[in-house]
Structures are given as C-alpha cells and as structure tokens.
Amino acid sequence: MKRSLILALFSLILATACAPFPQNLMRDAQLAVSVSDVQKEPDRYRGEVVIWGGVVIDALNRRDETVLKVMQTDLDFQKRPTNTARSPGRFLVRCKGFLDPYIYSKGREITIAGVFIGKEEQNIGEILYAYPVLEAQEIRLWEERQDPQYWGPPYWWGYPYPWWPGYPYWW
C-alpha cells in the first residue's frame, strides 16, 4: 500500500514536471490544430485553446499590448520548438502589457498557450498574408540553445603521454 502510494506520487510529480504550462491549460488545449488548419477554417476554431510554438520574427509594442510575430515550427515532447528550418505558417500573439523587444528578439524560441480569436491580414513583402491571432494565456520563452562543449580526450590520452618515459629514457 505504501509503495503504491509513493509510486503514484512520483508519477504525478514526473508528469507535471515535464509540462511547460499548467495542467488545466494542457487539458483544454487542442494539440492537433496547426496554423494551416486554422487558416483553412478560421470560424471552426474561434475560441479554442491551442498550444503553438516557433521562432519569434518580430515584437511590436502598442499602447496596452505587445504583438509577437511567430513562425510556427513543430514541438517536441516538452512543447519546445524543433526543426526550425521548416514551418507550416506564421501567427500573431497578443500579450497584455509590455514585453521587452530585446528579450523577445528575433530568433528566440517560444511556446504559447492561447485562445484563437481571429485572423489579421498583413503584408509580407508584396504578399498579403492572413495571420491567425492568439490571445496569450501563458508564454514560455525558452533559453537559447548552447552548442555542446568539447574538451577533448582526458590528459592521459593526449600526446605526450605523461607516464611514458621521454627521449633519453627509452627502454
């Protein structure tokens, strides 16, 4: 009995530790909905909670809100953006208050849980693009990825070998 209680508690802690957002948002979110789905049928998804992630393109501060332009990418098991070389589309995120554009700068990875509220048309060059718009509930700005450090082999594998006798001491 005690063992099963400890195991259940451990599995609950493990399940909540991997989620980037509160459980009620994760439960309410439509995880299978993508930007391209919403662009095809915007009225069907209006008011739905979605979790999208990607790479920040731009941050625009307005009087009472900040609008983020994001290029959507796939998400991994932690809901972190992956495969940033491909994208099914772009979307806008409206956030209440001020978000510093230096922190939310171009190229930063972000995951948003938000309510789809409609679409907004803006130009990308000479093309008129229909951006799906999210009202942000929660935002997760990910730390920048670090390249793995390679320190080389341990000193005893390197040359010259410290335990090997040198020139005048050859056997």
Side-chain angles (χ1 to χ4, degrees), residues 40-61:
K40 291 175 189 170
E41 300 179 74
D43 294 331
R44 178 178 175 199
Y45 297 106
R46 192 176 310 274
E48 295 287 335
V49 176
V50 293
I51 296 177
W52 290 342
V55 179
V56 174
I57 297 172
D58 191 20
L60 174 67
N61 284 301

Side-chain angles (χ1 to χ4, degrees), residues 137-158:
Q137 302 289 319
E138 294 279 333
I139 295 177
R140 172 75 192 262
L141 185 67
W142 297 91
E143 294 179 10
E144 294 181 17
R145 295 184 191 258
Q146 300 293 322
D147 290 332
Q149 295 286 333
Y150 178 69
W151 297 96
Y155 72 89
W156 58 85
W157 290 352

Side-chain angles (χ1 to χ4, degrees), residues 97-160:
F98 175 78
L99 297 178
D100 194 331
Y102 183 75
I103 296 172
Y104 291 84
S105 60
K106 184 176 182 175
R108 291 293 303 267
E109 294 177 346
I110 192 169
T111 305
I112 297 101
V115 178
F116 173 67
I117 58 172
K119 66 179 185 174
E120 185 177 320
E121 292 183 346
Q122 292 183 8
N123 286 331
I124 301 176
E126 295 181 5
I127 298 172
L128 190 61
Y129 188 81
Y131 286 92
V133 181
L134 297 183
E135 184 71 39
Q137 302 289 319
E138 294 279 333
I139 295 177
R140 172 75 192 262
L141 185 67
W142 297 91
E143 294 179 10
E144 294 181 17
R145 295 184 191 258
Q146 300 293 322
D147 290 332
Q149 295 286 333
Y150 178 69
W151 297 96
Y155 72 89
W156 58 85
W157 290 352
Y159 180 81

Side-chain angles (χ1 to χ4, degrees), residues 30 51 69 72 82 141 154 169:
Q30 300 290 329
I51 296 177
K69 280 186 187 177
Q72 185 191 18
T82 60
L141 185 67
Y169 306 108

